[in-house]
Amino acid sequence: MSETVAAAATSVTVPQTWRYAVPGRRDLRIDMLRGIALVMMVVAHTELLSAINIFIWERFGLTTGAEGFVILSGFMLGMLNRQRLQKEVLLTIGWTLWRRAGKIYLVNIVIVLLILLLSALPLINTFEVTHFVDRYSGTVWALFPATPQIKETWFNIVLYLQIGPHQTQILGLYICLLLVSPLFLWLLQTRRAGWLIAASLLGYLAYQRWPLRLTVSEFEFAFPLLAWQLIYVLGMCCGWFKDELTSLARTPAGYVVITLMVIYALVMMFVAQNHTNPFMPPALLLHIIPPADFNWFYHHLAAKNALGPCRVINDFCLILLVYLILTRCWWPINKVAGWFLIPLGQHSLYTFILHVFVVLGVSQFVTFDLWQQAWLRNTAIHLGALGLLWWMAKKEIGGRFIPN
């Protein structure tokens, strides 16, 4: 999105020197967006109530870091591979994507095997990465077999990613999306974007009507492939047609669309302040929308796992709004947070893979509990976990073996 687009989207006057004007082909605004998404996911997976939760736990809209991660991944693949297809054939690029999917698949299996190995050690408590806990009801689901299994069963459940930490389940989704990405790129290259979007939307609507799992992998409980492929495909199309969309945004019709998207993001931000999240202190929430009405809207039109339609729209509108803010106010924002968020965003997959072990390490010393309001302790823990991941990303610890 160009600065012209940003200027059209808001009438707030800011100093000219604040605008984004960083030389080079890499868009640091995208890196910062990915860094924000990573912070949201790490804090969500380190299940303690801290001051950071107050600002990022569905506070800027009904959206999560996972959605941003998937959308931006699709966006970058679409944008970069359109350029590469001018110099390389699709088969070469497709092979690169399949190799990347294979590498992430192997990393996923290594994570599962490492957790199994650590579970056998008596001094290490792996409960938080081998179970999923509903913190409200206290219901516990085992993500690893609780009884002895024969060798063939172990082979199958590991091979098909039927077990694993819930903190890294989205990697299974990412693997599947990478495997079909060459087909998506072929449709875009052959000017069949309309067919691609129509097929993706049809799959999404089919899931909303008949929630079917396409695979036996564990990730589909939290990230059903038929639903989540839509935001990936739309992100990829936005990346592919980035230049065309930027040009359209300069037109009067584009101005109207961007304005409507910004308004929608702001309206959803207001709706989110009326959340019925039981862990959030009531004084920090609005109580204008009746709880029953909010819950109906949330579960029917903005569901988290199934990606309700209002949530999908919110995802893209909020990303656009934040991108425009970064464009207009880059200098002060980058000065305050760029040193931290940009390295995380530039090592997003690397950081995400490592964060499960940071979560495991934290759980050795602190009992995860979203009811306990130990603000100072929990905020310090979240900042410490994020700081450790930032340091590892800066130093690229294990970067030779961990994909990024």
Side-chain angles (χ1 to χ4, degrees):
M1 197 66 63
S2 68
E3 294 179 8
T4 304
V5 178
T10 176
S11 60
V12 178
T13 302
V14 297
Q16 187 71 22
T17 55
W18 283 16
R19 296 173 183 269
Y20 181 84
V22 179
R25 298 177 61 185
R26 189 178 188 104
D27 192 335
L28 298 182
R29 293 164 293 186
I30 299 295
D31 290 329
M32 190 171 289
L33 283 168
R34 292 197 293 192
I36 294 171
L38 267 173
V39 169
M40 295 172 69
M41 285 191 286
V42 172
V43 171
H45 291 161
T46 311
E47 297 185 70
L48 301 167
L49 186 62
S50 76
I52 301 177
N53 294 106
I54 293 175
F55 296 101
I56 66 173
W57 198 352
E58 290 194 325
R59 298 289 278 177
F60 293 100
L62 301 181
T63 181
T64 66
E67 293 140 64
F69 190 76
V70 172
I71 291 171
L72 293 172
S73 295
F75 179 88
M76 294 303 296
L77 276 176
M79 181 180 69
L80 296 176
N81 284 307
R82 182 177 185 178
Q83 300 170 6
R84 290 170 182 164
L85 281 169
Q86 297 175 2
K87 302 176 181 179
E88 303 177 46
V89 298
L90 179 60
L91 182 61
T92 301
I93 292 175
W95 176 246
T96 300
L97 293 174
W98 288 333
R99 286 182 58 191
R100 181 172 176 80
K103 184 179 293 187
I104 298 173
Y105 173 73
L106 290 176
V107 168
N108 210 336
I109 289 180
V110 169
I111 290 174
V112 172
L113 295 177
L114 283 175
I115 297 299
L116 286 171
L117 178 63
L118 293 173
S119 298
L121 301 178
L123 297 179
I124 298 181
N125 179 11
T126 59
F127 178 85
E128 294 296 345
V129 295
T130 57
H131 296 77
F132 177 78
V133 182
D134 182 337
R135 301 295 171 183
Y136 180 72
S137 66
T139 306
V140 178
W141 287 272
L143 303 177
F144 285 72
T147 57
Q149 306 289 322
I150 61 175
K151 293 180 180 180
E152 289 79 5
T153 302
W154 276 115
F155 179 80
N156 287 330
I157 61 179
V158 172
L159 184 67
Y160 294 109
L161 302 181
Q162 293 178 284
I163 61 175
H166 71 88
Q167 292 89 351
T168 57
Q169 285 179 351
I170 199 172
L171 291 179
L173 170 70
Y174 195 42
I175 292 166
C176 292
L177 292 174
L178 279 175
L179 289 175
V180 294
S181 287
L183 173 61
F184 298 161
L185 291 174
W186 175 77
L187 290 170
L188 290 169
Q189 185 184 32
T190 55
R191 300 182 179 182
R192 292 182 172 90
W195 288 100
L196 172 60
I197 295 174
S200 177
L201 183 59
L202 182 63
Y204 170 82
L205 294 175
Y207 181 83
Q208 302 303 313
R209 181 63 180 87
W210 303 286
L212 300 175
R213 297 170 58 199
L214 295 184
T215 73
V216 296
S217 298
E218 184 184 58
F219 77 86
E220 287 230 52
F221 289 104
F223 307 102
L225 184 57
L226 272 178
W228 283 70
Q229 55 78 29
L230 176 67
I231 61 175
Y232 179 83
V233 168
L234 293 179
M236 180 178 284
C237 291
C238 289
W240 182 274
F241 294 109
K242 179 178 180 289
D243 293 338
E244 290 85 348
L245 291 174
T246 301
S247 297
L248 288 173
R250 297 190 181 106
T251 65
Y255 172 84
V256 172
V257 171
I258 290 177
T259 301
L260 291 175
M261 291 181 70
V262 169
I263 292 174
Y264 184 88
L266 294 175
V267 169
M268 291 300 290
M269 195 177 299
F270 164 77
V271 172
Q273 308 316 305
N274 296 267
H275 211 297
T276 57
N277 185 341
F279 306 108
M280 193 70 68
L284 300 177
L285 297 169
L286 295 178
H287 303 280
I288 298 174
I289 301 176
D293 294 340
F294 177 87
N295 287 333
W296 184 92
F297 175 79
Y298 189 89
H299 294 295
H300 289 83
L301 297 176
K304 181 179 177 181
N305 291 351
L307 284 187
C310 289
R311 180 178 285 266
V312 171
I313 299 173
N314 193 183
D315 290 333
F316 284 90
C317 292
L318 182 60
I319 287 177
L320 174 67
L321 175 59
V322 176
Y323 190 90
L324 295 176
I325 293 173
L326 291 176
T327 300
R328 294 296 299 272
C329 304
W330 174 256
W331 185 84
I333 295 175
N334 181 52
K335 199 75 173 177
V336 173
W339 62 273
F340 180 76
L341 292 174
I342 291 175
L344 287 179
Q346 292 177 342
H347 299 82
S348 55
L349 184 58
Y350 165 90
T351 305
F352 182 80
I353 290 170
L354 287 178
H355 95 284
V356 65
F357 298 102
V358 173
V359 171
L360 175 61
V362 172
S363 69
Q364 304 306 298
F365 307 99
V366 181
T367 301
F368 286 2
D369 182 4
L370 293 174
W371 292 109
Q372 187 177 9
Q373 297 181 6
W375 296 104
L376 292 178
R377 185 201 68 175
N378 294 345
T379 302
I381 291 172
H382 278 157
L383 291 175
L386 291 168
L388 176 60
L389 288 168
W390 172 83
W391 176 79
M392 296 179 75
K394 287 282 288 186
K395 299 297 183 180
E396 297 185 348
I397 306 298
R400 183 178 177 182
F401 309 102
I402 303 173
N404 185 42

